Amino acid sequence: MGLLPALLLGFLPGEKNELYDWVQHLVAGLVFGAIFALTFLAGDWRRHWVVPFAGMAAGTIITAVIWRQGLPNFQGIFALAGSLVGGGYWFSQRREKPILIETVFVAVGSTLSLWALSQLSWWVPFSQTLATLNNRLWFLAITAATVGCLCVWQRAAVGARLSRTFPLLDALMLVMLAAAVVRTTDLADSILAAHHWSVYVAPAEMVREGRSLLGQVPSQYGFLSMLVLAGLPASSCFEGLYWMQVVTLWLSGAVVYFVIRTWLAAWWWQLGTGLVVTTCVAFFCGDISQLCGPMLYPSAGAVRFLWVHLLLGYLFWWHQMASSQATTRRVLWIGSVIWLLGVLWSVESALYVTAAWLPAASLLAMPANAENFSVAERLRALFAGISLVLRIVGLYLAGAVLLIGICYRLIYHGWPSWGAYFEYARAFSSGFGAMPIDPRGPVWALLLLHTALLAALVSINRRRHLVLIWAAWGAFWSVSTYYISRSHAGNISNLGSTLLLIIGLFIPVVKAGDLRGLVRPWAWIVVTTWMGAMLWLVVTNTPALKRQWTEYQVTPHVDRLLPAQAEAGQLLAQCQRTQPGYFSMIGVNDFACVTIELTTPHPNWLPLRSLPLYGPLPIEQREHYLDAYHQRPMSGWLLAPLQMEAGLSWLFDYIDARYSVTTYLRNDHWQAWYYVPKSKFESGGVKNQMANKFYGHKRGADETLQFTRKFGGNVDSRLLATTAKFYDFAKGRSIIGVTADSAEMRVSFPTNRIETEMVLRRADGDAGGVLAADFVAYASPIDQPGVRFERWRGRIKLPADKKEFSVTERIDGSRMHTLFTVEIPKEFSGRMVAGWRNLNVTDVTRDTDAPAWLSPTSEVAVPMDETALARLLPDNWRPAEAWMRRAQVGRHGIELSPGGEIWLKLNHSLAKLVGTSMAWAPAMSGKETEIHGLWYKGGRMFWHDQPWPKDQPANIRPFQAVGAEVGGWLVIAADLNPARVPALVRVTEVQEVK
């Protein structure tokens, strides 16, 4: 039965994907349950000769399955070390009956386990590491040392006397462990630390600000864990996380130390245990390639696995110290408290402690002499124990949920949303960040440990031992999901301290079993290979080990170790001088985090301390948390690097939908926008904001360009005011109009002549027939908008057989504003759209005195001096005036940031300019803001967007601007898209006619 996961891994056809991996994992759980049923209920069948034979057959078939997958990077030294383990097993058992077959099994199993564990060296093939003589000697010496310890342990198991232990040595070993876990060597200037710490720091800081978990604050790593972090007496949650990691790593390491230390009563074993545990907890876990330990990656350390360690340690204490029924009941209640704290800690912790506690507690609740019961009595006792445990944990859980609900009602005036407790688990279980298992990788080491636990289950029948094995296996099976969900070799090493603790629980059961039981050879395979690997993978990583030794440092104020990002701080100070208020800062992509956000507690404009926190969530849930932070839109600054990568469009779409930019600042590396909430008037889109209304939330030059493309004509959309609605159609141009009653549209600048297309469009599903609407055009004085001089009137009819009909009329503007009205007779209400499109001004009355900036911001415009003009223009042409905004002079042109504009005034002439744009830095090619060229005069504008030449170089984007009449301004404008980097623009040619 233990073969089933291995057979699934090695033989079943089909694509190896995450679903396939989870099937294996569930099968492993079913196998263990079936073995327990046979062991617990089917009587004393374990001593039959078939059982050890089946065990040997299982090992043989597993060997064949592994061999079939291939053994990449297999080295002969693995066979030599495996033979050493087999020889040690033979030596320790030499006085027993012939054990040749067992010895061969141990040797082969150890060889394969050593190969599987060598695959944990993912950064460089371990065969390359073993190329040096020193590393080969270390590998063999460590294996020989573990074999020697097991030989001594074997003698102790049969009653040999050993030396004593010393409490002072225990204290020294714990000090050594503390010195290893407290180091901050790898935090200095680490962007990885900022990323991985941010998902803890951001929720905790929001809790400190008064926001609530379970509804208002996203939390990837739990509930109680964030409350504890927020409550620590540290200057910031970033510093608090450091101390939280130090304490939890040391505490979990201490549990592992005292469990393994009980194997042998000898001072030298205390030293050896301290060395193994320190190496595992502080170097093997985390990024083993750099030996940085879990400090850099909190989710790979005790912050995640603490409570399952404490629970297993508590059960081990019970196993060693007490077994009376009265003591057992206390253990049930105290163990359930630890379980409850683990459940509240995080959803992952809840899985770990539940899988470890509930099966073990159910056995614990049975009578102590249950092994003497009949099968029926055992079954009744088991169900009685399960019922008791479920009542206890149900009572604890219900009380906790009720208490939390009452606290939320009193503090936050609402109820917790318990769905948020599970939301990240759902996101990751749906495949976020998944990696399939490599059938030729270290997964076989996990399968061998799984089978060893099965062998322990088969070899014992006493309840107190079964409790320990069930707890160990439940922990093993549940924490393995950490590897199943993202099957990278590094995630097995991250489980190192937990797996070492499980092996530590496994050995006392082996000692309590038969000397020749099935579990003893598996103990030799597991202990020598796993404990040995935790040493030789570290010791043979010489460069990383030397660096950790020579660069060892402890800096409790860890916020000082992150990159300073001085330019960001300078721009932030400028922002606060310009407009004091809330601020948020983001990095170049959805992975990066900003030091100031993490280490400087402050109320955010938006909760963006950790963009990685939002990655697993669906878009609507991300927006929910952004909305919930302030409960209502607030004004504030957003700071971001000039060089930004893709992946943040969801964030800027969210911001664009709710805020408008009023100020833009930048320096050489960073940029900042000051956002104010859009009013209902703006977001609903009525007067003077038609582009915002009709085209989502695009801004700046692209805003007016999109309006022109849809509506047609050459009128600046910002100078249109209307009471009508905008109707967009899949085919044909859009219409400003109504379906009933009447509407007006005013062109709010003086014109000489203007023409408009008046349109009737039949509604979908209309029965047909002739429809009509009445149109009127007026000239209206600029200073007397209520006065109207009629210029045209007429009724336009839509023929019965037409879907759409239009009439174009030229109107005399008389150097005044132009007002258009439409009225639909009541009998035609709802049957059509009547309105206007394609407004074309053919002649304006006056020029534009100053730039009519397209981007809705309030930065100060800068006049262009000769230095700037020389960077932009050919030597043979200069404009009458030149202004720029959101732009700076570069070495080879003008750098236009998103939303940047250059306005060049013509000197009573017609002119055409042609230019090119490219990314301001070659590495950012393709990510620069889009550049448009246009001509503007008195509210009349002409865009010049044309297809790029087919032979145009990929990194160069052409643009042009052409005057439609004498005078006006030639404009070079950049889209206001914060996700884009600045573009370097240069005018290559200017043609002018006086």
Side-chain angles (χ1 to χ4, degrees):
M1 297 185 72
L3 289 174
L4 289 177
L7 293 174
L8 278 171
L9 185 65
F11 282 105
L12 283 187
E15 181 184 357
K16 306 294 192 298
N17 53 32
E18 193 184 18
L19 178 60
Y20 181 80
D21 299 340
W22 282 107
V23 168
Q24 298 173 64
H25 196 65
L26 294 174
V27 168
L30 294 175
V31 164
F32 202 89
I35 291 290
F36 168 76
L38 289 173
T39 303
F40 192 70
L41 301 176
D44 192 17
W45 56 273
R46 294 178 298 274
R47 294 181 182 274
H48 197 276
W49 66 271
V50 172
V51 175
F53 177 79
M56 302 306 163
T60 303
I61 298 175
I62 288 178
T63 301
V65 172
I66 296 176
W67 192 270
R68 179 180 181 273
Q69 291 296 326
L71 303 177
N73 301 311
F74 185 85
Q75 299 289 300
I77 197 172
F78 296 150
L80 178 60
S83 300
L84 189 61
V85 178
Y89 180 78
W90 176 85
F91 179 80
S92 66
Q93 303 274 16
R94 65 188 183 280
R95 297 177 181 173
E96 302 298 324
K97 295 180 181 179
I99 55 170
L100 180 60
I101 295 178
E102 294 178 27
T103 300
V104 172
F105 166 72
V106 170
V108 173
S110 300
T111 299
L112 293 174
S113 186
L114 289 168
W115 162 80
L117 286 164
S118 73
Q119 298 297 93
L120 292 176
S121 179
W122 54 266
W123 65 98
V124 62
F126 196 66
S127 57
Q128 183 176 328
T129 302
L130 291 175
T132 64
L133 177 61
N134 284 342
N135 285 342
R136 290 198 296 272
L137 291 177
W138 272 117
F139 177 78
L140 291 174
I142 291 171
T143 303
T146 57
V147 169
C149 290
L150 274 185
C151 287
V152 176
W153 170 78
Q154 185 87 8
R155 290 180 58 228
V158 295
R161 294 181 60 82
L162 296 173
S163 60
R164 53 178 293 192
T165 59
F166 297 92
L168 181 59
L169 273 181
D170 287 337
L172 288 175
M173 293 302 98
L174 294 179
V175 169
M176 179 176 67
L177 175 64
V181 300
V182 79
R183 74 189 194 281
T184 57
T185 307
D186 293 274
L187 294 180
D189 294 324
S190 174
I191 60 172
L192 287 176
H195 171 85
H196 290 282
W197 286 40
S198 70
V199 293
Y200 289 85
V201 172
E205 287 288 1
M206 284 188 270
V207 171
R208 279 190 172 189
E209 293 168 2
R211 274 81 181 182
S212 64
L213 295 164
L214 302 179
Q216 195 177 7
V217 174
S219 178
Q220 181 172 339
Y221 290 110
F223 174 70
L224 184 59
S225 58
M226 296 300 104
L227 294 180
V228 170
L229 178 56
L232 291 177
S235 59
S236 69
C237 289
F238 194 85
E239 184 178 323
L241 181 57
Y242 166 73
W243 288 111
M244 184 176 179
Q245 285 208 83
V246 168
V247 172
T248 55
L249 284 171
W250 183 85
L251 190 58
S252 65
V255 171
V256 180
Y257 170 79
F258 282 110
V259 167
I260 296 179
R261 207 257 289 160
T262 60
W263 291 6
L264 290 170
W267 64 268
W268 55 269
W269 181 243
Q270 289 177 270
L271 294 175
T273 301
L275 177 63
V276 171
V277 171
T278 300
T279 301
C280 176
V281 172
F283 298 96
F284 184 79
C285 297
D287 185 357
I288 190 175
S289 68
Q290 300 298 320
L291 303 182
C292 62
M295 185 59 73
L296 201 59
Y297 309 96
S299 57
V303 173
R304 191 184 200 122
F305 302 109
L306 173 66
W307 292 102
V308 72
H309 284 211
L310 294 178
L311 184 60
L312 293 178
Y314 182 69
L315 284 173
F316 180 79
W317 172 85
W318 164 82
H319 181 270
Q320 295 292 103
M321 303 299 296
S323 60
S324 68
Q325 193 68 19
T327 302
T328 298
R329 288 303 173 97
R330 285 199 301 271
V331 170
L332 277 177
W333 289 97
I334 296 174
S336 294
V337 171
I338 300 174
W339 168 84
L340 179 63
L341 293 174
V343 168
L344 296 177
W345 189 257
S346 69
V347 67
E348 298 97 339
S349 178
L351 171 64
Y352 305 154
V353 296
T354 299
W357 176 243
L358 292 189
S362 299
L363 293 174
L364 199 61
M366 295 173 60
N369 60 343
E371 56 264 23
N372 299 322
F373 290 0
S374 66
V375 173
E377 290 172 334
R378 285 188 184 186
L379 192 59
R380 284 195 297 271
L382 177 61
F383 280 114
I386 293 173
S387 176
L388 175 61
V389 171
L390 290 179
R391 290 198 302 272
I392 293 174
V393 299
L395 177 64
Y396 277 28
L397 187 60
V401 170
L402 179 61
L403 180 61
I404 292 171
I406 293 173
C407 291
Y408 265 65
R409 194 65 183 170
L410 294 176
I411 299 172
Y412 301 116
H413 309 292
W415 300 104
S417 174
W418 288 103
Y421 177 81
F422 301 98
E423 64 184 352
Y424 280 92
R426 288 195 298 267
F428 280 93
S429 64
S430 64
F432 179 83
M435 292 177 62
I437 290 176
D438 179 5
R440 301 192 303 169
V443 63
W444 294 103
L446 289 179
L447 283 173
L448 289 171
L449 181 54
H450 163 74
T451 311
L453 290 170
L454 286 177
L457 187 63
V458 169
S459 299
I460 59 175
N461 62 355
R462 295 188 63 186
R463 182 200 62 152
R464 61 195 301 262
H465 300 323
L466 283 174
V467 167
L468 211 55
I469 285 298
W470 258 111
W473 181 83
F476 170 76
W477 183 78
S478 58
V479 300
S480 294
T481 59
Y482 180 76
Y483 171 72
I484 298 297
S485 61
R486 186 170 175 82
S487 303
H488 186 275
N491 282 347
I492 292 183
S493 64
N494 291 341
L495 297 174
S497 60
T498 306
L499 298 178
L500 184 60
L501 176 58
I502 289 167
I503 293 170
L505 300 176
F506 172 70
I507 291 300
V509 174
V510 176
K511 184 182 291 189
D514 295 338
L515 189 62
R516 295 296 306 281
L518 181 62
V519 70
R520 197 161 293 253
W522 281 101
W524 276 77
I525 294 173
V526 167
V527 173
T528 56
T529 57
W530 273 96
M531 294 186 70
M534 293 177 185
L535 291 173
W536 45 256
L537 279 171
V538 172
V539 173
T540 59
N541 191 355
T542 308
L545 196 60
K546 285 183 177 178
R547 186 180 67 84
Q548 292 295 336
W549 177 261
T550 58
E551 298 179 13
Y552 178 89
Q553 65 171 303
V554 177
T555 307
H557 296 292
V558 288
D559 53 327
R560 301 174 184 173
L561 298 174
L562 293 186
Q565 297 174 326
E567 297 91 345
Q570 293 166 5
L571 184 59
L572 175 60
Q574 183 183 354
C575 291
Q576 293 300 315
R577 289 193 300 269
T578 303
Q579 177 67 62
Y582 296 117
F583 70 90
S584 294
M585 306 180 76
I586 59 175
V588 296
N589 52 33
D590 55 1
F591 178 91
C593 297
V594 182
T595 300
I596 295 174
E597 278 284 10
L598 296 178
T599 60
T600 307
H602 65 278
N604 270 207
W605 171 57
L606 290 177
L608 302 177
R609 285 187 179 92
S610 175
L611 283 176
L613 191 63
Y614 297 97
L617 299 177
I619 297 294
E620 58 273 13
Q621 196 63 14
R622 301 177 194 178
E623 295 184 348
H624 160 75
Y625 284 119
L626 296 181
D627 287 337
Y629 183 69
H630 281 299
Q631 304 289 331
R632 60 186 178 87
M634 303 286 287
S635 299
W637 289 97
L638 176 65
L639 287 80
L642 288 179
Q643 300 183 29
M644 296 182 67
E645 300 176 5
L648 295 176
S649 59
W650 71 270
L651 176 61
F652 288 108
D653 287 345
Y654 170 87
I655 293 172
D656 292 348
R658 295 160 176 80
Y659 300 91
S660 297
V661 176
T662 62
T663 306
Y664 176 83
L665 301 174
R666 61 166 285 184
N667 57 23
D668 290 341
H669 297 93
W670 286 80
Q671 56 190 332
W673 304 265
Y674 189 75
Y675 285 101
V676 297
K678 289 182 177 179
S679 65
K680 294 182 179 179
F681 173 80
E682 290 178 299
S683 59
V686 191
K687 283 190 175 182
N688 298 327
Q689 298 294 333
M690 299 175 68
N692 279 341
K693 170 185 175 181
F694 304 136
Y695 297 100
H697 306 280
K698 297 179 183 268
R699 300 163 297 171
D702 192 56
E703 177 182 287
T704 50
L705 174 57
Q706 291 294 333
F707 178 86
T708 303
R709 286 173 174 169
K710 285 285 187 178
F711 184 68
N714 60 12
V715 172
D716 185 347
S717 61
R718 299 170 299 169
L719 302 178
L720 284 177
T722 183
T723 59
K725 295 182 179 180
F726 191 90
Y727 294 90
D728 199 1
F729 306 107
K731 295 182 180 180
R733 290 195 181 275
S734 305
I735 300 173
I736 294 175
V738 291
T739 58
D741 299 326
S742 62
E744 297 180 352
M745 179 179 68
R746 176 181 289 269
V747 179
S748 300
F749 61 91
T751 65
N752 281 338
R753 283 170 297 279
I754 182 171
E755 64 180 30
T756 182
E757 183 181 356
M758 293 167 281
V759 188
L760 301 181
R761 183 181 177 93
R762 192 181 303 275
D764 293 338
D766 182 69
V770 177
L771 304 176
D774 297 313
F775 290 83
V776 184
Y778 303 92
S780 179
I782 299 172
D783 56 348
Q784 294 177 291
V787 177
R788 302 179 179 186
F789 302 103
E790 186 175 308
R791 291 294 183 259
W792 184 90
R793 176 186 294 271
R795 169 168 283 206
I796 299 176
K797 295 183 178 180
L798 176 61
D801 59 343
K802 297 285 187 180
K803 176 69 174 179
E804 181 179 295
F805 182 76
S806 67
V807 172
T808 299
E809 291 289 340
R810 179 172 292 188
I811 309 300
D812 180 7
S814 304
R815 299 186 178 184
M816 291 183 282
H817 291 182
T818 308
L819 178 67
F820 299 92
T821 66
V822 63
E823 184 176 359
I824 298 177
K826 291 183 178 180
E827 62 268 26
F828 300 138
S829 293
R831 299 181 59 188
M832 63 177 172
V833 177
W836 311 270
R837 66 180 172 210
N838 214 16
L839 279 173
N840 274 292
V841 176
T842 59
D843 185 19
V844 294
T845 62
R846 60 180 178 83
D847 208 335
T848 302
D849 296 328
W853 301 106
L854 302 173
S855 297
T857 57
S858 60
E859 292 90 347
V860 176
V862 179
M864 299 180 70
D865 57 18
E866 179 56 32
T867 301
L869 292 173
R871 292 284 198 276
L872 176 68
L873 300 171
D875 294 335
N876 61 352
W877 186 78
R878 291 293 182 266
E881 289 183 50
W883 295 83
M884 65 181 186
R885 192 170 69 167
R886 290 195 185 181
Q888 65 180 17
V889 180
R891 182 176 300 177
H892 303 292
I894 301 297
E895 294 177 11
L896 270 187
S897 296
E901 300 171 40
I902 298 172
W903 286 65
L904 306 172
K905 187 173 180 59
L906 298 177
N907 189 14
H908 304 292
S909 63
L910 282 168
K912 170 185 177 181
L913 67 77
V914 177
T916 60
S917 70
M918 63 181 67
W920 73 296
M924 305 307 296
S925 181
K927 301 175 182 178
E928 69 272 19
T929 184
E930 188 173 352
I931 301 298
H932 305 283
L934 68 141
W935 173 83
Y936 191 97
K937 182 178 179 181
R940 180 187 180 196
M941 55 175 26
F942 280 92
W943 291 91
H944 296 279
D945 281 346
Q946 59 183 15
W948 299 337
K950 293 183 179 179
D951 58 349
Q952 187 72 33
N955 62 333
I956 296 178
R957 308 286 186 261
F959 63 86
Q960 67 173 342
V962 181
E965 62 181 76
V966 173
W969 297 74
L970 296 178
V971 183
I972 305 169
D975 287 351
L976 183 53
N977 182 350
R980 292 288 182 171
V981 302
L984 185 69
V985 299
R986 173 81 182 175
V987 175
T988 57
E989 178 185 358
V990 178
Q991 300 173 8
E992 185 177 30
V993 178
K994 294 290 186 178

